[in-house]
Amino acid sequence: METSRPKIKQLLTEQPIDTEVTIKGWVRTKRGNKNVAFIAVNDGSTIHNIQAVVDMTNFSEEALKPVTTGACVGITGKLVRSQGQGQSVEILAEKIEVFGTADPETYPLQKKGHTLEFLREIAHLRPRTNTFGAVLRIRHHLAFAIHQFFNDRGFFYLHTPIITGSDAEGAGEMFRVTTLNIENPPKNPDGSINYAEDFFGKETNLTVSGQLEGELGALALGLIYTFGPTFRAENSNTPRHLAEFWMIEPEMAFYDINDNMDTAEALLKHVISYALEKCKDDLEFLNNMYDKELLNRLNLVANSNFERCTYTKAVEILENCGKKFEFKPAWGADLQKEHENYLVEHFGKPVIITDYPKDIKAFYMKQNDDGKTVRAMDILFPYVGEIIGGSQREENYDKLYNRVKEMGIHEESLWWYLETRKFGTCVHSGFGLGFERLVLFVTGMTNVRDAIPFPRTPKNAEF
């Protein structure tokens, strides 16, 4: 049965010597002479290939001709201890099937180095490379560890809508969802588009965040988290921005800002420790291939107690450090990536910045008694800067309503959110973790487009 066929990872780990095995996968290399051929096959289960040794007295050259780099094959034979260097076991091939050929003249992944920029142009094939096989396996393990963390702590996984009538961030950079005829949309008497005739009877967009709906879940179930795609129509063609990305957003009733920070820190340590345990071979490959400090950074985070520092104190440190920044630090201005990097280096570990000025933060954040700051928290990591942003949420109806009005947000689109502050409100908190930012940190990739299988960026939705 196909379901009982062991994967290459299993064969390399368990090494059932002198048993007949069948592998199925894709040819990475074929070399040899008229007497013997060596075929390296990978099935995606591990970064390591397994070698099949072909005694050419049992196979014709014609039979092996279609076995080229990129071909999909099945090989049956006896698993034996390897006679050569570089592998502990190998297969003495008795039967070879070719399921799909790959023309060596046109197959783009030949045995040579390829730039990450080039591989983005062939995103349909890049998962077959060592680099992206490693990234995608690590991405899987991180996702599993996130679900494990929340499940084990009594959180409920809430599916929040992808299509929404509200803008959680107040940023306005959203993708519109419509079934109207864009060549000739229905119009109101004043010439504006009549969304009452649209599918939902109102203007709708792809969500930028599941947070607002997540809060509704927390105010009934206690502890929830979301894990889904979010969308920003931001025309930013940078190594840090995607138009479609995944977010993890827990919302927690009865948690204050300190509980929020404790949970966020515990989550990050859990998932990074899990990756260090489960993705050892892939991380060692990426460490050796791309970033010699990767494993050191991961171990630093997994074993550190994060520093907690107010925004005001952070600005003081930046102003008094003697370093010339491109953007001069000043109280009331947002921290730039260069500031975040300096603070992480200054403390020598991840930093949680708290109590930001309310004017640079979102409307829903709990206002402090000083009238100037809010109970926000951002977690800064080495290498990637901000990785988590969150806050205690404003549970007071009047304060929240006044903030909505101050910021010019359309309150009619948020009536249901405001109403939760009228009916059984309580202290509650939450945060958002950008999944691709986490994958970027754990893999050591330098461009967020290499942290997701099929990146969506301005002018790019090819695959």
Side-chain angles (χ1 to χ4, degrees), residues 134-135 137-139 141-143 146 268-277 279 282-284 286-287 291 293-299 301 381-384 387 433-445 451:
V135 169
R137 281 186 294 270
I138 291 168
R139 187 179 166 104
H141 284 292
L142 290 172
I146 286 163
L268 290 169
K269 287 180 179 177
H270 172 81
V271 298
I272 289 168
S273 297
Y274 188 91
L276 284 166
E277 179 191 347
C279 308
D282 288 326
L283 288 172
E284 284 178 355
L286 294 170
N287 187 89
D291 185 345
E293 286 301 307
L294 175 61
L295 287 169
N296 289 339
R297 275 200 307 274
L298 296 179
N299 281 296
V301 170
F381 261 19
Y383 188 71
V384 295
I387 197 160
L433 167 61
F435 189 48
E436 282 69 33
R437 193 71 63 85
L438 175 66
V439 174
L440 204 66
F441 177 75
V442 175
T443 60
M445 295 286 99

Side-chain angles (χ1 to χ4, degrees), residues 141-152:
H141 284 292
L142 290 172
F144 180 84
I146 286 163
H147 285 296
Q148 181 189 62
F149 174 87
F150 287 119
N151 181 73
D152 290 353

Side-chain angles (χ1 to χ4, degrees), residues 167 170 363 403-414:
D167 177 1
F363 73 93
R403 194 79 183 109
V404 166
K405 296 292 279 184
E406 268 176 43
M407 296 183 73
I409 296 167
H410 299 302
E411 62 191 90
E412 58 271 18
S413 69
L414 288 174

